[in-house]
Amino acid sequence: MGRGKIEIKRIENTTNRQVTFCKRRNGLLKKAFELSVLCDAEVAVVVFSSRGKLYEFSSQSMKKTIEKYKKSTAENSHGGAITEANTQYWQQEAAKLRQQIEILNNTNRNLLGDGITDMNQKDLKQLEAKIDRAHGKVRKRKEEKCVEEIERLQRKEHQLQQANDYLRSRIMESQCNQNMNMLVPHPHPEYDALPPFDTRNYMHANLMLPAHHYARQELTTLHLG
């Protein structure tokens, strides 16, 4: 026969309660040990009997495990509070943004002329003031754009004037160089074609005298001697 199902309630008989405590305590500590070994888990079990006697099991250090447990529960509690506060904050911000969007949409429709028939005199005056302010901003921006365009054109004109002056100075310089070249004399091309003078190509003037001149000079010398 199989074991019968035990009703989970306090055992009134003291002896039976003590025996059951010993058996279940040993089984609990054994299961905690098996869980730490099989699953590589950090396990700590603390049991106090009805008489206040302590029984414990820890896979590592009971003190370190308890400190780790305190730290983990503190972070979770603070994290939950922070998360709830953040959720409420962002919900409020979202509601404000939706309200602002609704106001802007209504204002845009009114500026386009929609829904103004149902507006009272005060709202119409406010709308008129908004339109006047917007018109003034548009006019001011338009004037600023015109001034910027005029300044840009003036800068462009100044650059073109500088380029024009530079080209004129180069043209005048080129014309002056041409006039100077025309005033400088150039040798005739026929003279340039003649070979350079070489004294070796000509005989000395004394060598061109007749032979009897040398003979007469020799006789005169002999006679005087």
Side-chain angles (χ1 to χ4, degrees):
M1 296 178 62
R3 296 176 57 184
K5 187 175 182 180
I6 300 176
E7 185 179 1
I8 303 301
K9 67 177 184 178
R10 183 177 181 270
I11 300 174
E12 298 296 337
N13 188 281
T14 304
T15 303
N16 294 338
R17 186 168 62 244
Q18 186 65 30
V19 173
T20 303
F21 173 77
C22 292
K23 292 181 179 180
R24 297 294 179 114
R25 180 200 63 201
N26 294 334
L28 176 62
L29 298 180
K30 181 180 179 182
K31 291 294 183 183
F33 170 74
E34 293 175 353
L35 179 63
S36 64
V37 174
L38 295 175
C39 301
D40 194 18
E42 184 177 354
V43 181
V45 178
V46 178
V47 179
F48 288 94
S49 67
S50 59
R51 298 179 181 181
K53 189 175 181 179
L54 173 63
Y55 302 91
E56 65 178 10
F57 167 79
S58 178
S59 59
Q60 295 183 5
S61 171
M62 179 63 72
K63 185 177 180 180
K64 291 183 179 179
T65 303
I66 292 175
E67 293 295 333
K68 188 175 181 181
Y69 167 76
K70 290 180 179 179
K71 183 178 179 181
S72 178
T73 53
E75 290 178 353
N76 290 334
S77 61
H78 291 305
I82 294 172
T83 302
E84 184 177 358
N86 289 336
T87 302
Q88 294 178 357
Y89 171 77
W90 290 115
Q91 287 178 351
Q92 294 175 359
E93 290 295 321
K96 292 179 181 179
L97 291 175
R98 284 194 295 269
Q99 185 178 3
Q100 293 178 2
I101 292 172
E102 184 66 22
I103 294 173
L104 291 175
N105 289 333
N106 293 332
T107 303
N108 290 334
R109 286 195 297 268
N110 294 332
L111 291 174
L112 295 175
D114 297 337
I116 60 176
T117 56
D118 298 333
M119 298 176 63
N120 54 29
Q121 186 177 4
K122 181 179 178 180
D123 294 337
L124 289 173
K125 287 184 178 180
Q126 292 178 355
L127 180 62
E128 183 180 5
K130 290 180 180 179
I131 293 174
D132 291 339
R133 288 195 298 269
H135 187 264
K137 291 180 180 179
V138 172
R139 187 188 303 111
K140 182 179 179 180
R141 183 56 183 164
K142 182 179 179 181
E143 292 175 355
E144 291 176 355
K145 293 294 290 184
C146 291
V147 172
E148 291 176 359
E149 185 66 19
I150 291 172
E151 292 177 352
R152 187 184 67 82
L153 293 175
Q154 288 177 351
R155 290 194 298 269
K156 190 68 174 178
E157 183 180 3
H158 181 67
Q159 293 175 357
L160 293 175
Q161 184 66 32
Q162 288 181 342
N164 190 19
D165 295 341
Y166 174 75
L167 291 175
R168 286 183 178 179
S169 63
R170 292 299 302 273
I171 292 173
M172 294 179 64
E173 182 180 356
S174 177
Q175 290 178 353
C176 292
N177 292 333
Q178 291 179 358
N179 293 333
M180 291 296 295
N181 291 332
M182 292 177 64
L183 294 176
V184 174
H186 294 281
H188 198 275
E190 294 181 357
Y191 296 153
D192 295 338
L194 293 175
F197 177 78
D198 190 356
T199 56
R200 293 174 299 177
N201 295 331
Y202 299 91
M203 297 179 63
H204 195 272
N206 294 332
L207 297 178
M208 297 178 65
L209 295 175
H212 61 86
H213 173 76
Y214 294 101
R216 183 182 302 174
Q217 186 178 6
E218 183 178 1
L219 292 174
T220 302
T221 303
L222 294 174
H223 178 74
L224 291 177

